[in-house]
Amino acid sequence: MSLETYESPLGKIFFDVSTKGVTALTFKKPAKASISSDINPPLAAKVRKALDQYFAGDLDALAKLPLDVAGTDFQQRVWKAAQKIKAGKPISYQSLALKIGNRGASRAVGTALGKNPVVLAVPCHRVIASNGGLGGFSGGLNKKEFLLNHESVKH
């Protein structure tokens, strides 16, 4: 098993890597972890360093990690668009739907973000409700609020 844990200000973060990239980065223990002799210790060390840097104020540190995530074509489009959201500049589910060219897909965007296996690297916490409410977050709304506050502070 290559499942790793990282102690963050928000509690444990679980992550998994393959030879190609990060396959999981989440606040909940993934149901499946890689069972492989081809684990990537240098990448696991990079993930730890990127998490250290992120929580120390380098809000782009996790965006530099290579990803190896599986998902539908729609999920991949949503996740790629979410990766472009700048720290401290949250957008609405509706705005993200428009960015992927699917005006009526706000709920589907939310569903795709809920299945994001690499939270923080694909910063789904930066997507909020049109009314300014938090919306949802697989790690819990208290973590989403912490992350948004962390990213709104000038470092």
Side-chain angles (χ1 to χ4, degrees):
M1 294 278 223
S2 66
L3 185 65
E4 305 266 342
T5 58
Y6 174 87
E7 288 296 333
S8 80
L10 293 167
K12 286 186 195 255
I13 294 177
F14 300 92
F15 68 92
D16 197 4
V17 297
S18 71
T19 56
K20 296 177 188 174
V22 180
T23 59
L25 180 65
T26 181
F27 292 104
K28 295 179 182 174
K29 192 172 186 177
K32 283 200 272 183
S34 296
I35 301 172
S36 171
S37 59
D38 293 332
I39 60 171
N40 190 339
L43 181 54
K46 272 186 176 177
V47 173
R48 286 185 185 288
K49 183 177 181 184
L51 285 164
D52 286 343
Q53 291 170 325
Y54 173 81
F55 286 110
D58 180 356
L59 304 178
D60 295 321
L62 295 161
K64 300 168 190 166
L65 294 171
L67 303 180
D68 182 16
V69 294
T72 66
D73 288 342
F74 181 79
Q75 289 169 337
Q76 294 287 345
R77 286 193 356 247
V78 170
W79 299 339
K80 281 184 193 247
Q83 283 180 286
K84 296 176 184 168
I85 303 168
K86 300 286 184 211
K89 308 274 187 199
I91 67 169
S92 69
Y93 294 95
Q94 177 66 43
S95 295
L96 191 56
L98 290 170
K99 286 185 183 297
I100 64 165
N102 198 334
R103 174 184 267 279
S106 298
R107 287 180 188 228
V109 162
T111 300
L113 292 174
K115 295 185 185 291
N116 172 14
V118 286
V119 298
L120 300 179
V122 172
C124 53
H125 60 278
R126 295 178 186 161
V127 183
I128 60 174
S130 295
N131 66 5
L134 291 179
F137 186 61
S138 63
L141 294 182
N142 60 330
K143 288 180 174 74
K144 183 172 186 169
E145 187 171 29
F146 175 96
L147 294 167
L148 290 171
N149 287 333
H150 173 66
E151 292 182 352
S152 68
V153 176
K154 301 288 184 223
H155 293 279

